[in-house]
Amino acid sequence: MKKINIIISNDIRNVIPEFKVIKIQAQVRNAATAESLMSSLNDCAAQMKEKYSLPDINKRIGIAATRQAYKSLGKDPNRYRPSQEQLMRRIINGKELYFISNVVDVFNYVSILSGYSVGAFDVDKISGDTLTLGVGLHDEPYEGIGRGTLNIEGMPVYRDLIGGVGTPTSDNERTKIEISTTSLIVCINVYGEEMPITEVIELSSSLLKQYCDAENIEIEVIM
């Protein structure tokens, strides 16, 4: 498995010094979402719907901190909502969750529980061996998954040698997880700590082993 390094640029460090990223790499076997995982996600959604109302969502520490990061970088978080906020709003509005695959839905589960945005990428589609987290530029090309062209100016963005692969709002079509994915890298973005990092790591590792037959799991916290 190709090891991917993560670099946090000064454009991010200087504006959001408290930022941390949990990097997880693993070999996986992906498949259509298991019924038991669907059930766990639906149970989680029901618990969140009981716990939060729509005005409460943005008060969650992980979501509030991600929104503040957007504002600090010049992006309107109400126009381009972070992915964990999108999931929570879907739940609170009573819409059914969509299911993609075991790998994707494991980290949707982690995102809902933790309050953090999660980027999951196919290592074999990444150009080079480094992802650098910087700030999106004016008219920078970017195709969000299921969203088409996305204006990422002012968003935190992970880039490889070709260009952007992931933002808190949407990952890129070019490096997305598919059923055929066997080599995985995940970036769990902690702009403000809600769920303790040790718990996020334990939860992620457990779910990867349970649903994705994960092997050679490597975890690093970068700050």
Side-chain angles (χ1 to χ4, degrees), residues 5-16:
N5 301 304
I6 301 289
I7 296 174
I8 303 171
S9 74
N10 287 335
D11 290 340
I12 296 292
R13 289 190 184 279
N14 292 340
V15 178
I16 316 162

Side-chain angles (χ1 to χ4, degrees), residues 2 6 42 93 99 108 153 171 187:
K2 177 171 68 173
I6 301 289
N42 284 328
N93 284 325
F99 301 111
N108 281 339
E153 181 179 5
D171 290 340
C187 296

Side-chain angles (χ1 to χ4, degrees), residues 5-13 16 19 21 66 69-70 73 75 117-119 121 130-144 150-175 187 189 191:
N5 301 304
I6 301 289
I7 296 174
I8 303 171
S9 74
N10 287 335
D11 290 340
I12 296 292
R13 289 190 184 279
I16 316 162
F19 175 76
V21 58
T66 308
Y70 272 41
L73 296 170
K75 198 69 172 177
S117 68
V118 179
F121 317 112
T130 301
L131 292 178
T132 301
L133 181 65
V135 182
L137 304 175
H138 179 66
D139 284 341
E140 181 171 358
Y142 193 93
E143 186 179 1
L150 183 66
N151 175 10
I152 65 169
E153 181 179 5
M155 279 186 202
V157 56
Y158 288 98
R159 298 183 180 94
D160 64 3
L161 291 176
I162 295 175
V165 303
T167 73
T169 292
S170 175
D171 290 340
N172 197 303
E173 282 280 353
R174 177 169 61 86
T175 50
C187 296
N189 301 292
Y191 288 94

Side-chain angles (χ1 to χ4, degrees), residues 155-207:
M155 279 186 202
V157 56
Y158 288 98
R159 298 183 180 94
D160 64 3
L161 291 176
I162 295 175
V165 303
T167 73
T169 292
S170 175
D171 290 340
N172 197 303
E173 282 280 353
R174 177 169 61 86
T175 50
K176 72 180 181 181
I177 300 299
E178 298 183 284
I179 293 295
S180 59
T181 296
T182 58
S183 190
L184 170 72
I185 181 168
V186 176
C187 296
I188 302 174
N189 301 292
V190 183
Y191 288 94
E193 188 165 333
E194 181 171 337
M195 178 182 279
I197 286 173
T198 53
E199 292 183 19
V200 177
I201 290 171
E202 184 178 347
L203 174 65
S204 300
S205 298
S206 174
L207 292 172

